[in-house]
Every structure is written in C-alpha cells, then in structure tokens.
Amino acid sequence: MSPNRLNMETQIEETTGNEELKEEHELTQLPNKDDEKTDETDDALSIEDSNKDKTATPESVLLEPEEVNYTKQENKENQRQKKRFLALFLVIVAAIILVVIVIVVIIIVATAHTVTYENSQNELGQLNTTEEPQMSTTQQVDEMYHGNITVSLDGVRIFTSDKLELVLNVTFIYALRYDENNSSPLVEIHGDQFELIVSVTAKDEIKGTAPDYSAPGYFHKTDEVETQFRKELKLRLEGNCCPGTPGNCQDVDICDVCSTSSDCNQGLYVDILYFKLDVIFDEFLLNVLKTTATP
C-alpha cells in the first residue's frame, strides 16, 4: 500500500471519529423531553394550588344568605339611628340658640323701654315742677282718701274679766284733723306710716278695754259694750280736747271728759266718724252663755 493512501485513510478515520464525538456531545446538550413535561406538569399544579389558595375563604368568614341580609339590615338601622340622633341634636341646639336670641332681644327691648320711661318721667317731673307747685303730703293723703279712712281689725283675740278668750272684729272710719295751715299734724309727724300708727294704737286700746267686761256681759250687753269701746277708742285717738267752744260740745260723745286747757291731749289728730264691734263666740261657749242669766 502506498503512503499516500495510508494518510488518506487515516484522515478519513479521524474525521469520522470527530463527527461521532460531536454528535454525542450535541446529544448530551439537548434537554430531556420527559423532564420538560414533568416540570411543566409541576408548574401547572403549583399555579392551580396558588389560585385555589387565593380564592379560598375561611370557614369563619362564610355566612349563610340570611345572616348576611340580617347584618346588612342591622347596619342600615344603625345608620338610621345615628341620623336621627344627629337631627335631634341639631334641633336642640337650634332651639337653645333661638331661646338665647329671644332672651337677649327681650332684655334689650326692656332696657330701652326702661330708659325711655325714666327719661319721660324725668321730663314730666321737670314740667310738673316748673308748671305746678308740688302737693304736700297732707294734700296727697286727703286727695287719696277723700278725708275718710276705713280701718278693719278682724280676728282680734282678747281676754274677758273671767279669763275667757273671745274674738272681736272691729271696724271704724276716721278723718284726718287739719290745723290752721290746712295741714294734718298726724301726717306731718309720721309721714306715710300714719295709717299703721292709727291701726296699732286702736288695737292696743281694744285689748286694754276688753277685760272690763265678762263673757256673759259681751253676750247679754252687746250695745253697752260697743258704746264703751267706741268711747275709749275716741278718747285714745281723738284726745280729750273739747272741739271748738264748750258750747259746741253738747253733741259730741267725749264732751263729758273733754278739756278746754291749752295743754289738752290732741290724741292722734283724727276724728272717729263710725265704729262697729262684733263679738265672735265659739259654739260651745255660745251654748253655755245662752243658759246664763244677765249679769
């Protein structure tokens, strides 16, 4: 065999061996189809499991349809109540604000009227002062009572000479006495308290005169008792000065004890015009007195 042929065969064998090694290497580098299918299956299963996990709901969250409806209704009712409470609160606040506004307006109006009234009164007082002389206290009293004043002393409890308690109702009318200056000394001395002075003095005189008679005397001698009380009250309130001249004293009850002295007692400078005495007996005492003889 020639050397050239041997070299060619050797090159052919090497070339063939290299091709076989290259094919084996490529086969080892190609992926296994079975392995790829297995991996694809595993990936699909894992994706399905994850989807199931995402869509799964805990048993505690699952509710029956009826329970879901009840919960929705309850939530709606709570919202309605909140709205009602809010509306009520707003109404109350509005009412309070309205009341405050009304009070403020009333105060402002009242203050304005008071100021206006005081100003008008001051102006009127100035006009009266400049146009007419101010009336004296005596003239004011005389104009108010027209000269006659009525006093009613009801329920005056007194004790008789036999230590029994009775109740007296006393009514009298008096007139103020004026001096030469047309002024009442009683009013000038005591001012607007003169009525109280007369009433207290009269009540004191009645209690002081009451023990002069017994209970039967009050029952059987009513006219005599009334005359004596009237006489004592006139002496206390009118005084003991004889009115005018002694010749004018014949028709006056007090003339038998009146005085013509200059230092006689003027009393409270009033004249008694009317006197009435009523004796009140309780039922038991009244029945007893009906059976007693005249003292």
Side-chain angles (χ1 to χ4, degrees):
M1 185 176 293
S2 63
N4 290 331
R5 184 175 183 181
L6 288 173
N7 289 333
M8 289 180 62
E9 290 178 358
T10 302
Q11 288 179 357
I12 293 170
E13 288 177 359
E14 288 177 357
T15 303
T16 303
N18 290 333
E19 291 178 356
E20 290 177 356
L21 291 173
K22 186 177 181 180
E23 289 178 358
E24 288 179 3
H25 178 70
E26 290 177 356
L27 289 175
T28 56
Q29 294 298 324
L30 291 175
N32 193 345
K33 292 183 178 180
D34 294 335
D35 293 338
E36 290 180 356
K37 291 182 179 180
T38 303
D39 293 338
E40 291 177 357
T41 304
D42 293 338
D43 293 338
L45 291 174
S46 61
I47 293 172
E48 185 177 356
D49 292 338
S50 63
N51 291 333
K52 288 182 179 180
D53 292 337
K54 291 181 181 179
T55 56
T57 304
E59 294 181 357
S60 58
V61 179
L62 293 176
L63 296 174
E64 295 294 333
E66 295 181 356
E67 295 179 354
V68 173
N69 292 334
Y70 176 77
T71 303
K72 290 181 179 179
Q73 291 178 357
E74 187 176 4
N75 292 334
K76 290 182 180 179
E77 185 63 27
N78 291 335
Q79 291 178 357
R80 290 196 202 97
Q81 289 183 355
K82 289 180 181 179
K83 290 181 180 178
R84 291 195 202 101
F85 287 137
L86 180 60
L88 180 61
F89 175 77
L90 293 176
V91 169
I92 293 174
V93 171
I96 293 174
I97 294 174
L98 181 61
V99 170
V100 172
I101 292 174
V102 170
I103 293 174
V104 171
V105 171
I106 291 174
I107 293 174
I108 293 173
V109 173
T111 304
H113 279 276
T114 302
V115 172
T116 304
Y117 176 77
E118 290 178 354
N119 293 336
S120 63
Q121 288 296 106
N122 292 334
E123 293 176 359
L124 182 60
Q126 293 175 357
L127 291 174
N128 290 338
T129 303
T130 56
E131 293 178 1
E132 296 181 0
Q134 187 175 4
M135 291 191 299
S136 66
T137 307
T138 301
Q139 290 173 327
Q140 292 176 357
V141 171
D142 187 48
E143 184 176 303
M144 183 183 300
Y145 294 101
H146 304 289
N148 299 332
I149 303 171
T150 301
V151 177
S152 296
L153 301 175
D154 296 331
V156 180
R157 295 186 176 276
I158 56 94
F159 286 96
T160 64
S161 60
D162 46 3
K163 309 301 180 183
L164 294 177
E165 186 180 38
L166 298 178
V167 176
L168 304 180
N169 290 338
V170 178
T171 301
F172 65 94
I173 300 174
Y174 68 92
L176 296 173
R177 191 182 299 163
Y178 297 93
D179 57 18
E180 61 276 6
N181 297 321
N182 198 28
S183 177
S184 169
L186 176 64
V187 177
E188 296 298 328
I189 294 171
H190 299 288
D192 57 359
Q193 298 293 318
F194 77 93
E195 286 186 89
L196 179 61
I197 297 298
V198 173
S199 298
V200 171
T201 303
K203 189 174 182 179
D204 180 69
E205 184 60 34
I206 290 168
K207 285 180 173 288
T209 306
D212 293 345
Y213 293 91
S214 63
Y218 280 97
F219 181 74
H220 294 286
K221 299 180 179 181
T222 305
D223 293 339
E224 179 184 334
V225 171
E226 184 178 49
T227 300
Q228 185 62 28
F229 269 88
R230 182 173 183 269
K231 185 177 180 179
E232 296 294 335
L233 186 62
K234 284 176 68 68
L235 184 62
R236 180 75 177 271
L237 298 182
E238 293 182 354
N240 63 348
C241 296
C242 293
T245 63
N248 295 330
C249 196
Q250 57 185 353
D251 296 328
V252 182
D253 295 340
I254 204 71
C255 282
D256 55 343
V257 292
C258 72
S259 172
T260 57
S261 174
S262 59
D263 59 350
C264 61
N265 180 18
Q266 292 283 349
L268 294 182
Y269 302 95
V270 298
D271 294 318
I272 304 298
L273 306 178
Y274 172 83
F275 181 85
K276 178 65 176 175
L277 174 69
D278 293 318
V279 184
I280 309 300
F281 301 94
D282 62 59
E283 186 175 356
F284 174 77
L285 181 59
L286 184 61
N287 292 331
V288 172
L289 293 175
K290 286 180 180 179
T291 62
T292 61
T294 304

